Amino acid sequence: MLVVEQILNGLQLGVMLFLMSAGLTLVFGIMRVINLAHGSFYMIGAYVAATVTARTGSFLLGLAAALPAAALAGMVVEFLILRRLYHRDHLDQVLATFGLIFFFNELTRMIWGRRPLFMEAPSRLSGSVELVGGLQYPVYRLAVILVGILVALFLYLLFSRTRLGMRIRAGATNREMIGALGVNIPLLYTLIFGLGTLLAGLAGVMAGPLFAVEAGMGDSVLILTFVVIVIGGIGSVRGAFIGAILVGLVDTLARAFLPALFRHLLASPSSADRMGAALASMSVYIFMALVLSVKPAGLFPARE
Amino acid sequence: MKRFFVFFSALCLVLAALPAQAVQPVKIGMITTLSTKAGYLGEEIRDGFQLAIDMEKGRLGGIPVQLLVGDDGRKPEKGRQLAERFIKKDHAKILTGLVFSNVAMAVVPMVVRQGIFVISPNAGPSYLAGRGCNKNYFNTSWQTDNLSEVIGQYATEQGYKNVFIIAPNYIAGKDNVAGFKRYYKGRVAGELYTTLGQADYAAEIAALRSARPDAVYFFLPGGMGINFLKQYAQSGLSRDIPLMGPAATDERLLHAVGAAALGVINSSQWCVDFHTPANERFVAAFTKKYGRTPTLFASQGYDTARLIGSALAAVKGDMTRTDDFRRALEKADFTSVRGSFRFGPNHFPIQDFYVRRVMAAENGGYTNRMLKKVFNDHVDAYVGQCKM
């Protein structure tokens, strides 16, 4: 039963990571921009949702306000700043977007103060529910898994069935060619960036009732997100989905079972705790190294 | 002409010297943590300290003071730089403000050797209470282990036989768990050390559920605690398995966690609902000035300022009388908002400790209410190692 519960936890972490990494992998793969500030849009989503939810008492209104806010913020940043960076090298992009992290963290502190915001799960989704075999599981986490799977489906349809999706895929494979075919590249880039930050904002809204809504909340999730897109293959949404689920499962299961495993293997409980905790926090990176040693371009590289 | 010139020069000298002697305020350097996610701790301490100065209209103990504030960003090297600047450039003789043990360890041993006084309103690592104690270092809050020792004693008194432990995998986490185990006599149902700054605790909560403990001891400061409390409440466990932690739910954190923190047991040397005149005055003035309920950190900042004031009054603001100033600090001749307060031989407080419980407040929010006193005149575990 514990294993089932931990697998659910891993799935839930995985779909959260997917929402973050889907946008980032598109931006990275198509626009070739390393956007370290992606976590800031996650934070914007959470802050706007927390504020609107607190004012109106409605989680749905909070969600409805946060998604356009994150998308809009993303498009403004793309228009004002990133456009100037496309032809620069990666170091310049890293510097500029790293600066944006500080800018947004300080901005949220100026607007909302240092005190973390309060955000609650909607009452219908609070508490826990009994699944098969007496397993108690929080309803909200189930809802997060559901939303993540729906978004994955939506993106699948968007990319495989629509003209916009076709252009985005074409852009990931050969940017110069679709430009030569007359596609409005600047507009396409702004849209992609907006879509990416919208998904990050959605992840932020989903995170609000689970995590502390505070300045800098996006920074810790960003590292795992980069791990996901490197494992999945840069530019591939399918890779981001598989990578996110794998990373979520590896991280959760390692945290859940490694300490106990080491207690069985080692005689001294204190060194077992130390080893278990250390290895659990490294597990994702070890996993990444293993994947890359077999498939250096990630599981599903967009460009062969 | 020559006589006029001499007279004029003398007049200038006198005029220049006069204000320097009469109103030169005593400078106090505050090295504290204002940025990063933990920045609210420094903010609370600074606001509490500043309140004490404002209540005396720019003075402490009747002596004009100037508070210089610097943000260490939780980084030891930044703390050192600030200390050098306050000492060399501003000629401050008193430093305070330290929030984190790692910054304190970088700053305190270096500056106390130069004859500078450090009065720490928060950071109290075991080294500075024991082998590394110094005649010029004072702490007005607690030794780091203390608040966890209180929880350990409380768990023993409650008759808990099977407690689950969760803490981050770093020095203060280990110290706190050691403090808890020093007074907890029951069995440990399980022990988990998490990554510092971890956001998701689903795996830990599932492991905790399957261990079926009587209660949970958690030490997860700041945002980690917010994450954990929210997720714990959603898991439905808070109905059955009580949570206890050291200073785990200050008023700022409660604002972000809300009802998910209801019933959490936490330890402190101070509580907002202490009915002493000194505390009521402090709470009323703080709430009026800043529009929020003070946390225990604010009370520590305030007490630190008042302690410094009592010593400044004893030497009449003359910081060259270092031995008198030190003796005055040791006497701790001020009314602490926490009630009884005196220093032990290692310059750490000997004081009472309490457990508080999170309850709904009258104004609709949540606050800590005093539950019971756990220790009388508690002394830290390292005092025996201190040779001053």
Side-chain angles (χ1 to χ4, degrees):
Chain A
M1 241 345 82
L2 185 61
V3 179
V4 178
E5 186 176 357
Q6 297 292 23
I7 287 175
L8 278 176
N9 287 333
L11 277 179
Q12 183 262 320
L13 181 62
V15 301
M16 291 278 285
L17 289 175
F18 168 65
L19 292 181
M20 286 293 289
S21 47
L24 194 63
T25 201
L26 283 177
V27 170
F28 204 176
I30 299 174
M31 298 151 73
R32 319 265 161 87
V33 175
I34 300 183
N35 177 25
L36 292 183
H38 202 62
S40 298
F41 301 102
Y42 169 85
M43 178 174 72
I44 290 172
Y47 265 91
V48 171
T51 310
V52 174
T53 306
R55 287 274 166 81
T56 62
S58 157
F59 184 82
L60 279 180
L61 279 180
L63 182 72
L67 296 186
L72 200 69
M75 292 198 273
V76 168
V77 164
E78 197 273 342
F79 188 75
L80 290 181
I81 296 158
L82 289 184
R83 284 213 169 165
R84 288 152 190 40
L85 297 171
Y86 292 143
H87 302 293
R88 304 278 199 95
D89 66 24
H90 281 326
L91 192 63
D92 289 354
Q93 298 168 354
V94 165
L95 271 179
T97 51
F98 194 59
L100 280 175
I101 296 182
F102 288 109
F103 172 77
F104 278 115
N105 283 350
E106 221 37 61
L107 188 71
T108 46
R109 285 197 186 106
M110 278 160 68
I111 299 177
W112 283 283
R114 289 175 192 287
R115 191 153 76 165
L117 296 190
F118 171 69
M119 190 173 174
E120 200 174 28
S123 54
R124 247 176 274 169
L125 298 180
S126 61
S128 57
V129 69
E130 192 172 317
L131 303 177
V132 282
L135 169 66
Q136 290 281 328
Y137 201 74
V139 187
Y140 188 76
R141 285 182 188 266
L142 287 177
V144 171
I145 297 178
L146 187 72
V147 168
I149 290 172
L150 286 180
V151 168
L153 249 156
F154 164 77
L155 287 180
Y156 172 74
L157 291 176
L158 179 75
F159 287 125
S160 62
R161 296 274 188 273
T162 69
R163 183 166 289 271
L164 176 67
M166 197 173 69
R167 284 182 182 161
I168 293 176
R169 270 186 302 144
T173 319
N174 195 327
R175 174 163 61 160
E176 289 75 21
M177 186 57 89
I178 67 158
L181 290 173
V183 173
N184 184 347
I185 298 267
L187 181 68
L188 185 67
Y189 280 11
T190 309
L191 281 180
I192 294 170
F193 201 82
L195 176 67
T197 56
L198 180 131
L199 292 175
L202 176 63
V205 178
M206 307 302 295
L210 288 173
F211 305 138
V213 180
E214 59 187 347
M217 64 185 288
D219 307 349
S220 47
V221 75
L222 186 75
I223 299 168
L224 276 184
T225 308
F226 269 104
V227 172
V228 165
I229 67 169
V230 169
I231 288 179
I234 289 162
S236 157
V237 175
R238 185 168 53 143
F241 185 74
I242 306 286
I245 300 293
L246 285 176
V247 166
L249 284 173
V250 166
D251 186 53
T252 304
L253 295 181
R255 263 161 46 210
F257 297 113
L258 272 183
L261 185 71
F262 272 88
R263 281 188 170 232
H264 280 294
L265 293 178
L266 294 178
S268 127
S270 70
S271 64
D273 282 338
R274 238 191 347 266
M275 293 275 291
L279 208 65
S281 56
M282 283 190 285
S283 58
V284 171
Y285 307 102
I286 297 172
F287 178 66
M288 177 171 77
L290 285 178
V291 169
L292 291 186
S293 66
V294 182
K295 302 200 87 174
L299 295 174
F300 302 96
R303 241 169 284 124
E304 294 303 331
Chain B
M1 194 63 207
K2 198 180 164 195
R3 267 170 74 190
F4 174 75
F5 184 72
V6 170
F7 173 75
F8 185 75
S9 320
L11 187 74
C12 280
L13 273 175
V14 168
L15 282 178
L18 253 184
Q21 264 187 351
V23 292
Q24 186 72 269
V26 173
K27 287 182 177 163
I28 302 172
M30 176 176 274
I31 302 164
T32 196
T33 307
L34 296 167
S35 56
T36 78
K37 290 179 189 173
Y40 79 93
L41 297 174
E43 201 172 69
E44 286 286 302
I45 288 169
R46 180 197 65 195
D47 289 352
F49 200 102
Q50 186 65 48
L51 179 71
I53 298 176
D54 292 352
M55 284 165 80
E56 280 197 60
K57 303 199 169 48
R59 290 154 192 269
L60 283 176
I63 308 297
V65 294
Q66 186 187 349
L67 184 65
L68 313 160
V69 181
D71 172 23
D72 62 33
R74 210 175 170 168
K75 294 195 179 72
E77 65 276 12
K78 193 80 198 298
R80 261 172 187 268
Q81 284 168 12
L82 284 169
E84 301 241 339
R85 194 180 91 203
F86 288 148
I87 295 168
K88 298 229 168 78
K89 185 167 155 279
D90 301 308
H91 304 289
K93 293 277 183 283
I94 308 170
L95 296 183
T96 181
L98 299 162
V99 177
F100 287 98
S101 292
N102 59 339
V103 184
M105 288 302 291
V107 170
V108 174
M110 174 184 84
V111 303
V112 289
R113 279 198 297 271
Q114 307 172 30
I116 304 294
F117 285 93
V118 180
I119 295 123
S120 171
N122 199 67
S126 53
Y127 176 78
L128 293 178
R131 281 181 298 126
C133 67
N134 189 286
K135 60 181 183 175
N136 289 338
Y137 172 78
F138 289 80
N139 180 303
T140 57
S141 54
W142 20 258
Q143 198 280 315
T144 308
D145 305 4
N146 284 160
L147 291 176
S148 281
E149 291 170 352
V150 177
I151 297 293
Q153 178 68 18
Y154 172 78
T156 304
E157 283 175 16
Q158 288 298 108
Y160 292 141
K161 296 272 181 297
N162 209 19
V163 171
F164 197 92
I165 294 174
I166 175 166
N169 192 20
Y170 76 126
I171 300 211
K174 297 285 168 69
D175 282 356
N176 270 279
V177 172
F180 173 75
K181 286 181 175 168
R182 198 171 289 140
Y183 285 87
Y184 169 61
K185 302 287 178 246
R187 220 173 62 82
V188 174
E191 230 173 313
L192 277 180
Y193 293 96
T194 61
T195 313
L196 195 61
Q198 187 169 317
D200 186 55
Y201 291 93
E204 287 77 9
I205 290 170
L208 187 162
R209 187 202 305 271
S210 72
R212 298 179 189 285
D214 298 339
V216 176
Y217 162 86
F218 75 111
F219 170 73
L220 296 165
M224 293 185 280
I226 300 178
N227 296 335
F228 179 75
L229 286 169
K230 281 181 167 183
Q231 295 167 28
Y232 192 78
Q234 280 174 15
S235 75
L237 283 176
S238 40
R239 280 190 302 273
D240 310 320
I241 309 173
L243 286 178
M244 340 174 266
T249 46
D250 61 60
E251 278 67 13
R252 286 241 181 152
L253 213 132
L254 284 178
H255 173 81
V257 177
L262 268 180
V264 172
I265 300 290
N266 65 108
S267 49
S268 178
Q269 77 286 12
W270 171 86
C271 192
V272 69
D273 61 355
F274 279 171
H275 294 296
T276 62
N279 190 51
E280 280 168 353
R281 209 164 86 92
F282 161 67
V283 172
F286 190 97
T287 316
K288 181 158 176 271
K289 179 161 185 212
Y290 302 107
R292 60 173 197 263
T293 314
T295 63
L296 81 156
F297 305 105
S299 85
Q300 289 161 197
Y302 181 80
D303 267 358
T304 305
R306 307 255 302 144
L307 167 73
I308 293 173
S310 75
L312 283 177
V315 297
K316 302 194 172 53
D318 181 2
M319 284 307 295
T320 55
R321 293 167 59 189
T322 44
D323 290 332
D324 294 334
F325 185 72
R326 186 180 310 111
R327 268 193 290 277
L329 284 175
E330 280 169 348
K331 267 193 243 157
D333 186 17
F334 74 107
T335 316
S336 166
V337 291
R338 72 195 88 171
S340 82
F341 181 100
R342 63 194 163 90
F343 281 116
N346 58 350
H347 292 170
F348 272 67
I350 297 176
Q351 59 189 337
D352 300 344
F353 282 99
Y354 307 84
V355 287
R356 315 182 292 184
R357 180 193 277 152
V358 179
M359 315 265 251
E362 296 83 18
N363 58 14
Y366 298 91
T367 188
N368 285 298
R369 289 275 173 262
M370 235 272 274
L371 189 62
K372 68 188 258 197
K373 188 191 271 192
V374 174
F375 284 129
N376 270 315
D377 287 342
H378 188 58
V379 185
D380 66 84
Y382 304 95
V383 66
Q385 300 169 17
C386 169
K387 305 209 167 31
M388 214 173 264

